[in-house]
Structure formats: structure tokens, C-alpha cells
Amino acid sequence: MDSPFLEIRGVTKLFSKVVANRNVSFSVGKGEVVALLGENGAGKSTIMKILYGLYRADFGKILINGKEQRIESPKDAMALGISMIQQAFSLVSAHSVAENIVLGTVKGLLNRRAYERKIRNLAVQYGFNVDPAAIVRDLPVGVQQKVEILKALFQNASLLIMDEPTAVLTPQEAANLMDFVRRYAAAGNSVIFITHKLKEVMDCADRIIIMRSGEVRGILPRAGTDEKELSLLMIGHELPPLPDVSAGALQAREMLRLQGVSVRDRHGVFRLRDVSFSIQEGEILGIAGVSGNGQQELCEVVCGSRPLASGRIWLDGRDIGSLGIRERIELGIGYVPADRQRDGMVMEMTLAENMILKSSYSSKWQKRPFLDRSRIRHYATSCIEAYSIRTPGPDAVVRGLSGGNQQKVIVAREVDNGTRLIVFDQPTRGLDLGAIDYVHKTILEERGRGKCVLLVSTELSEIFALSDRVGVLYKGVLQGIVPKGELTMETIGLQMAGYSTSGR
């Protein structure tokens, strides 16, 4: 039997006194797809960064094709045929696709046309519709991920590490990516993908490695397990089902109304066109659709960070279309943005500072001319306990928290801010099962308190599980709103393809 392409033996990694990986051992065969499962903070990304040369192990060995190797930088890893696609893409937005792909691999003068032709042929070979001459900043996020994959293929990678590869993709894009993974492995290459989505694991992986608290807790063949067993190994206990969200006939008053809302981008192009809907107290309106069809612009125009081109917005009967962000916060609008690190937090600030980021001007945090640090720390500590945020304390810098715990900080803050309306934009993107369950239950609890919720998600399962009514955005146009009882995948699929059904 051939030796595996990769063997990791007894790898341990410490950050100060924190054990990120403890005695981690596993192998990956040639032509094999291995899924790495675990909650945020389980040590998955750390062990992959050690393999890719971004971190150095304190103990243990790495063997490639049976021979021990010292991997001290990504350059060493790439020379051994290892490439990694991280959650945060490493593309230069001002450069073209071809320039990004050859960056660091070509010396001297660049024959642009020759490389564009080579990259176009490579893209066609793997079924990627990517223009090598396109500028990266103009590409949708799903196409940018294809560019990252083409970079690895251009470097003749034999092992492709993919960290949360579908976290920013629509269901259709995710399915296409999984097809690529299967074809790539069938050609004799190896794949390790880190994910929280059990459906992808069961569809694509040959073997599954489960990590918890920095250790390997199980290595299972896909054929011998199921989603229930995997979730139990991941988080150590079963997740109870979500409560029934059926609300029946809503009798509450209208809280949010949009009438004829249109939004233009900085180039004058319409991103939303004539959008109208309402949400009542104690109701969740889900907005589905392929990413890039105006969902972000919808959230931003409601919260005040993007101006109206035309139309009107009312909150609890008051016209708020001309109000600024701060005024809308004071009226009780909370907003959980899709990109938590870019738009939701200041990464170098502490947890406590981020908790009051949108209300620091409030008199409740003032102590004469200064901020009342003691009161702020007490508030942050109460949120840490209420939301089970894993952190050393309120003075911890949020950059050091896992993605799931960062999201809990934002959710805790916005639930407090959103006394009338909470806007959730991709609230569980990149989170593990435990964190997803926590966010879902929080959304339902706020709905139960009578708040109205605008939920934007590309995860159809999330939309189906939480929403009372569902609308679909296609090229900035609302295709209709369907009550939960009439909701079918066929209806949603037609609307996502641009077919408008009657609705309100």
C-alpha cells in the first residue's frame, strides 16, 4: 500500500500558556478528501497554519511522502506541493486575476498575454468561468474564491487546504465548489477542508477528523457515520431542536415599512429598485437570494449607512429616511453586519470597548468628562456570562477571540441596541454548529420579545428554519414575499432565478 502524502505526528502548539494543539496526529492519502470538523477555537486552523508554514510547531513531526520535512514558511510548503486557501482571501484587489495568480512566481518581465492564455486554459480545464484580465475588486466573492483556487492550481499543488471554503458562497456556488473538490481528488491530489457544514462533509469527504479543545477526538470514515454522531463528537452534546417559529396570524402593529425604496452605488447604478415591504412586531422577515443582488444595500439603507435614491422608510410610524446612523441607533435599530471584522468591530480594541462602540456617547457610560470604565467593564462581564462568550475577560482584545465569540460580542451589543428592530445580515457565516444554534435561538428569543427582525441569509436552511415570511432579491428587485406556510424550494428557486411571484 502506498504511503500517505501527508503524516502529522504528535504536533503540539502553545501560545503562551494556552494549548492550541495537543499531540495531534493524522494522515492524508493521495486522492483523498479529508474534512476537519470542530467548533471555533478547536485548533483546526492552527494545525493547518503549522502545515502551511505560518506557525511553527513546538513539538511533533510533519512527513511528506514518508520523509520528515521542516516547513518554516509558506514558500517551503508550496515547494512541497502544499497550498492553502484561507477564509480571508489574500488577493490584491487593484490587480488583475492573472497578476494575482502569478504574483511571487514570476521574475523579470511579465508576458501578460501568454500568462492570461495559460490561466484561461487552466480555468476551462476545471470548469471555472473566470476572465484572467478582470480586476479582482470588480469580481463577486464567489469568483474571487475561484481565483484563489486557480493560484493553487497554477503552482501545481498536490495538497489543497481549504479553510471554510463555502463560508461566503451561495448554495449554488458551494455545490460547484464541492464538484471541483471531487474532480481534483480523483486526479490523484489530496484535499483537507475545514468546515462546520455537515451536509458538505457527508457529500464530499472520504474521512472525517473531529477536533475539540485542540485535540483529535475521532477519525471516522464517511460511510460509517452520520450527521448526528458528528455533531455529538464536535460539541460534546446533542443540540436540541429549535422551537417552532409559527406565529399564526399576526395582530401586532406594523414596526418597519419600506415604500418604493431605491439605492444607487457610487457609480450611479441602481443596487435596489422600488423595494416595498413591511414587518410587524414579533415577526421575522427573511430575505434570500444569490449574494450580490442588493442584500447588503438593503441592510445599509435601513440602518442609515447608505442614502436613499428614492422612496421612504418608516420605523414605528416615524419617517426615518433622512435620519443619520446615530439617530437610528437611538430609535432602537440594531445591525449585525455580514463582515464582522470589517464592519462590526474595531479589532485592536478590547471586548468591553467594542460593547459600547455604538453608544459611547450615552450618558449612562459617562463619569464627568470621562468614560465610566468600571460600569463598562461590569456591563461587558454581564454580557460575557449571558452569551457564554469564551474570553479571558472584558479587557481581552477582540482580535484574539475565535470567529464565533466575536460574533457573540456583536450580537450581544446589537440585541441591546435594537429595542425595536434588529437587522441580521448573514448572522451565522463561518460559525460552528454550537455558535449557529446560539445565534438562531437568540434571534427567536428577540422575536418572542416583540421585536421585528430583518434576516438576510444565503443559507436557505436558515431562512426556512427562522422566517415567518420570505422575500427574494434578484438584481435589486424584490420578487415577492411568501408566507411560511406557502414556502417551497421550488418557489424560492424560481424567485432566485428572477421569476416574480405575487406577494406582499
Side-chain angles (χ1 to χ4, degrees), residues 321-387:
S322 62
L323 300 184
I325 297 174
R326 177 169 166 175
E327 292 168 299
R328 298 194 198 195
I329 293 170
E330 291 173 341
L331 286 175
I333 297 179
Y335 176 32
V336 178
D339 191 330
R340 54 180 167 265
Q341 295 190 359
R342 185 189 70 186
D343 300 325
M345 317 183 91
V346 177
M347 300 303 291
E348 303 307 326
M349 282 186 174
T350 67
L351 187 154
E353 289 167 339
N354 272 279
M355 285 300 303
I356 65 157
L357 202 56
K358 294 169 71 173
S359 60
S360 58
Y361 53 82
S362 173
S363 59
K364 67 181 177 180
W365 305 127
Q366 305 296 322
K367 190 175 183 180
R368 294 175 183 169
F370 304 108
L371 291 173
D372 188 338
R373 294 281 180 179
S374 177
R375 176 173 290 185
I376 293 169
R377 290 185 82 260
H378 179 75
Y379 168 65
T381 300
S382 67
C383 290
I384 290 168
E385 294 172 357
Y387 286 82

Side-chain angles (χ1 to χ4, degrees), residues 191-203:
V191 178
I192 302 174
F193 70 95
I194 301 171
T195 185
H196 300 119
K197 299 178 182 179
L198 299 183
K199 183 180 183 301
E200 293 172 0
V201 172
M202 300 306 293
D203 285 348

Side-chain angles (χ1 to χ4, degrees), residues 194-238:
I194 301 171
T195 185
H196 300 119
K197 299 178 182 179
L198 299 183
K199 183 180 183 301
E200 293 172 0
V201 172
M202 300 306 293
D203 285 348
C204 194
D206 297 305
R207 284 189 303 138
I208 303 154
I209 299 170
I210 300 97
M211 294 187 69
R212 192 164 80 242
S213 302
E215 300 180 359
V216 173
R217 296 300 179 97
I219 301 178
L220 307 171
R222 179 190 59 182
T225 189
D226 56 30
E227 294 186 16
K228 183 177 180 181
E229 181 182 15
L230 293 176
S231 63
L232 183 60
L233 286 169
M234 277 177 63
I235 62 178
H237 58 84
E238 290 189 33

Side-chain angles (χ1 to χ4, degrees), residues 130-155:
V130 178
D131 178 7
I135 303 301
V136 164
R137 66 167 169 258
D138 298 329
L139 300 177
V141 67
V143 179
Q144 290 186 30
Q145 184 157 61
K146 292 176 182 177
V147 176
E148 287 278 17
I149 294 171
L150 286 171
K151 279 175 61 178
L153 299 175
F154 186 80
Q155 295 163 3

Side-chain angles (χ1 to χ4, degrees), residues 163-179:
D163 191 355
E164 297 289 352
T166 63
V168 295
L169 302 184
T170 66
Q172 297 89 338
E173 291 169 333
N176 292 336
L177 180 63
M178 291 298 105
D179 287 340

Side-chain angles (χ1 to χ4, degrees), residues 19-39:
V19 180
N21 291 136
R22 187 194 303 276
N23 196 31
V24 173
S25 299
F26 61 84
S27 64
V28 181
K30 297 169 185 174
E32 185 178 31
V33 179
V34 172
L36 197 55
L37 281 179
E39 292 190 278

